[in-house]
Amino acid sequence: MKYLFTDFDSARIGKDKRAAVIEITGEKETETLRLSGGGKLIRIGIGKRDEMTRRKLLLLVRKITTLGKSAKAETLFLDCNDLSFSHLNIGDEELGSLVAQNMEMAVYEFTAYKHLPKEDRATLAAIAIKNASAAFKRGTAEGTTIGAAVNASRTLSNTPPSDMYPAAFAAAAVAAARRAGIRARVLGVPEMKKLKMGGVLAVGQGSARPPKFLVLEYFAGKKREQPIVLVGKGVTFDSGGIDLKPESGMNDMHMDMSGGAAVVQTLVAAARLKLKKNLVALVPMVENMPSGSSYRPHDVIRTMSGKTIEVLNTDAEGRVILADALTYAKRYQPRLVVDVATLTGAAMVALGLRASAVLSKDDIISRKFQDLGEKTGDHVWPLPLWEEYEEEIRGTVGDVANIAKTRYGGAITAAMFLYQFAKDYPWAHLDIAPRMTSVEGEYLAKGSAGAPVRLLVELCKTY
Ligand code: BES
Ligand code: ZN
Ligand code: ZN
C-alpha cells in the first residue's frame, strides 16, 4: 500500500470514481454512500470518542481498510486527526506505525492459487492522509515494513503443503533472509546426523521429504552483546504420524510451521528496520507423516542434548523437534531464547482464540510479553510452569515422555517438556496455536493470522 501525505478537499474528491473518503462519526451506524460525482463516502460510526481503546483503534484501522476494499476504491482519503485519541497516549510515530501495520494486514489476501474474476480483484492501492505530522509519516514507513513481514509470514503459512515442504520452506526463508542482508544456512540430514539431532531426524524420518534445519544470523549489534535467539516450530504438515489425526483434527495442519514463518519474518523485519541488535532464528523443519519409516510410539530418541525422549504419541512432534533447536541455541550464549510454536490444542481450550499462551520460569519475562502483546495487538496470556508439573512428563524407559500422564493442562505439560531442554538460559515459550488462524470480525482474510510477528519485532526493538 502506498501512503500519500497531501492535503485534500473532500468535496472535490467526490468527483473521482476511484476514490473513497473516510469520515469517522460519533454515531453507531456505518454506511457507504455513492456521491453524485461517482466517488464514495464511507461514514464509520465509532460512538463516543472518549470510549475508544487501543484494541478498538487497531480494529478500526482494519475496518476502514476492509470497507475501502469492498467499496472497490483505489485510494482512501483519511484525516489523521480522526485517528488521534489523546486519552490513549499514543505518540504520532507509534500511531503511524500502528496504522500502517494494520492497514497492510487488512488489505492482505492470499490469492496465489485462485483465479479471480476481474470484478473480485482487489483495487485498493493507496491511502491519502491529511494532517499527518513528520513523526506520523516516519511511523508509517516502519509500520509498512512490519505489516509486510506479517503478511509474508501469512503467505508462508497459507501456502499448501504440496508446495511448502521442508526444503521449499528452507529455500523460501533463505531467499527472504538474504534479500534483507541476513546470513542464512540450512543444515541437511548429514549435518543433523553429525550434530546428533535425534529429535528432528526422528520426526522427519517418516516423510518422503527430508527434514531441514534453518539457521539465520543477524548481527548488527555490539560485538560483545549476547543475542536473542528465536526458535520456531516448522512442521510443514502435521498428519499426526502413526498416531494419525482424525479428519477434523488435520484441518489447517499445513500451518503447523507458523511459528517458524513468524521467526523468519521477524528477522527480515528487524534487518529492514536496521535494528542494531544481535538476533538469531532457528527453525527445525519437518513433515510429520505416517509410513513404513516413521518414528513410532515407544521409540526412544536420543536428542542433541543427550537426554532421551520416550515417544508415547507421534502427534506430540513439535516438542520433539524443538528439543534439538533449544539445545542448538546454547551455542550462542543467548541473553534470551523465545520459542514460538503451534504446539497444543490445549492452549486453545485454555484461552480460546484471542491470545497465545506465554510460559516462562521468569515472571518478569512473562509480564514483559503480556505488555508487548497489549502494545502490538499480538495478545498473549500467561499459564503457570510450576515444578509440580514436571512429574507429569517423567519417562518410564526414557528421561522424558513426550506426552503427560493425564490430558489435563496440556499446554503446560508441553511447555514443561520444552523447559527440560531450555534450562541454561533465560527462556519464554509462546504457544500460538490459538492465534494460528484469524477469527471472524477481526477484519483479516481467512487463514493465517501472522501472529506473533508484531510482538517479536517489538521485542527485538526494545528488549
Ligand atoms: N500441531 C498440533 C497442535 C495444534 C492443534 C495446533 C490445533 C493448532 C491447531 C500438535 O502437534 C499436536 O498435535 N498436539 C497434540 C498433543 C497431544 C498429542 C499431547 C494436541 O494438542 O492434541
Ligand atoms: Zn501433532
Ligand atoms: Zn504439530
Side-chain angles (χ1 to χ4, degrees), residues 319 359-361 382-395 400-401 403-420 423:
R319 61 196 81 180
L359 296 99
S360 176
K361 277 284 178 188
L383 293 175
L385 200 63
W386 300 316
E387 213 171 281
E388 290 89 326
Y389 294 107
E390 217 150 33
E391 182 49 38
E392 289 264 327
I393 48 152
R394 192 151 297 152
V400 260
I403 57 166
K405 291 175 182 133
T406 72
R407 62 192 182 81
Y408 303 112
I412 298 170
T413 49
M416 195 36 102
F417 176 100
L418 295 179
Y419 174 61
Q420 307 309 308
K423 292 190 175 180

Side-chain angles (χ1 to χ4, degrees), residues 191-391:
E191 289 102 324
M192 287 193 268
K193 280 187 173 152
K194 243 181 251 152
L195 289 165
K196 302 198 163 82
M197 289 184 161
V200 186
L201 290 166
V203 178
Q205 76 192 29
S207 169
R209 317 277 206 176
K212 303 282 173 192
F213 191 94
L214 175 77
V215 181
L216 303 183
E217 295 169 342
Y218 172 72
F219 292 141
K222 296 198 192 76
K223 259 246 164 65
R224 285 274 173 62
E225 187 189 88
Q226 297 170 267
I228 298 174
V229 178
L230 306 176
V231 175
K233 172 176 173 181
V235 177
T236 58
F237 185 71
D238 183 10
S239 70
I242 295 298
D243 290 300
L244 195 65
K245 285 179 184 291
E247 181 191 20
S248 62
M250 232 178 278
N251 274 344
D252 291 340
M253 280 304 116
H254 62 297
M255 296 187 216
D256 208 19
M257 33 57 75
S258 296
V263 303
V264 167
Q265 285 302 323
T266 297
L267 254 71
V268 169
R272 296 217 183 280
L273 296 174
K274 301 197 164 56
L275 299 188
K276 293 197 169 44
K277 294 291 163 82
N278 295 333
L279 305 168
V280 175
L282 304 174
V283 186
M285 299 168 165
V286 299
E287 187 181 51
N288 188 22
M289 293 293 270
S291 78
S293 61
S294 296
Y295 83 136
R296 29 184 131 37
H298 290 288
D299 275 357
V300 177
I301 299 164
R302 198 172 295 279
T303 60
M304 186 179 174
S305 69
K307 279 196 179 134
T308 55
I309 297 174
E310 184 174 342
V311 177
L312 294 177
N313 189 320
T314 62
D315 196 12
E317 83 297 339
R319 61 196 81 180
V320 177
I321 63 169
L322 290 170
D324 285 336
L326 290 168
T327 302
Y328 191 92
K330 281 208 273 189
R331 68 175 57 202
Y332 294 100
Q333 295 173 293
R335 65 191 167 106
L336 177 68
V337 176
V338 184
D339 78 75
V340 187
T342 47
L343 203 63
T344 67
M348 303 161 80
V349 174
L351 293 174
L353 304 176
R354 301 291 174 165
S356 300
V358 58
L359 296 99
S360 176
K361 277 284 178 188
D362 184 336
D363 288 344
I364 294 170
I365 293 179
S366 146
R367 182 75 235 174
K368 170 84 184 161
F369 275 81
Q370 280 178 77
D371 292 346
L372 289 169
E374 220 36 61
K375 188 154 191 231
T376 58
D378 271 332
H379 302 122
V380 298
W381 202 253
L383 293 175
L385 200 63
W386 300 316
E387 213 171 281
E388 290 89 326
Y389 294 107
E390 217 150 33
E391 182 49 38

